[in-house]
Amino acid sequence: LADGKVQFFGQPIFCVIAETREQARRATRLAKVEYNELPFVTDIGVLDSSKDKLVTPPLTLRRGDAAAAIKA
């Protein structure tokens, strides 16, 4: 989740736990989020690979048994 700074469109900013989907949807509508726009890059061709880094570390998503993956 974003920790004080949202770094990309679609980045999760909070979680909701509810007993039903409708309860979760209602809870998300209660969120009040304010953003301060920061400088941004629209062309990756201008980036310097020696100093400009990835926003987040690479992530691999897999389907399967999560419990089995922890044991491995």
Side-chain angles (χ1 to χ4, degrees):
L1 298 175
D3 185 19
K5 184 179 187 181
V6 176
Q7 296 181 307
F8 57 90
F9 181 81
Q11 182 177 3
I13 57 175
F14 65 91
C15 295
V16 172
I17 298 173
E19 291 183 6
T20 68
R21 182 179 290 214
E22 185 57 32
Q23 287 175 340
R25 287 181 176 169
R26 287 182 185 178
T28 60
R29 286 188 221 121
L30 297 174
K32 303 292 183 212
V33 180
E34 293 183 20
Y35 297 97
N36 294 319
E37 191 169 317
L38 300 173
F40 56 91
V41 175
T42 58
D43 180 6
I44 62 170
V46 301
L47 297 177
D48 179 352
S49 63
S50 66
K51 67 176 183 163
D52 296 314
K53 304 299 177 197
L54 297 172
V55 173
T56 61
L59 174 68
T60 301
L61 300 176
R62 296 185 201 149
R63 290 180 183 229
D65 185 353
I70 292 172
K71 294 176 188 174

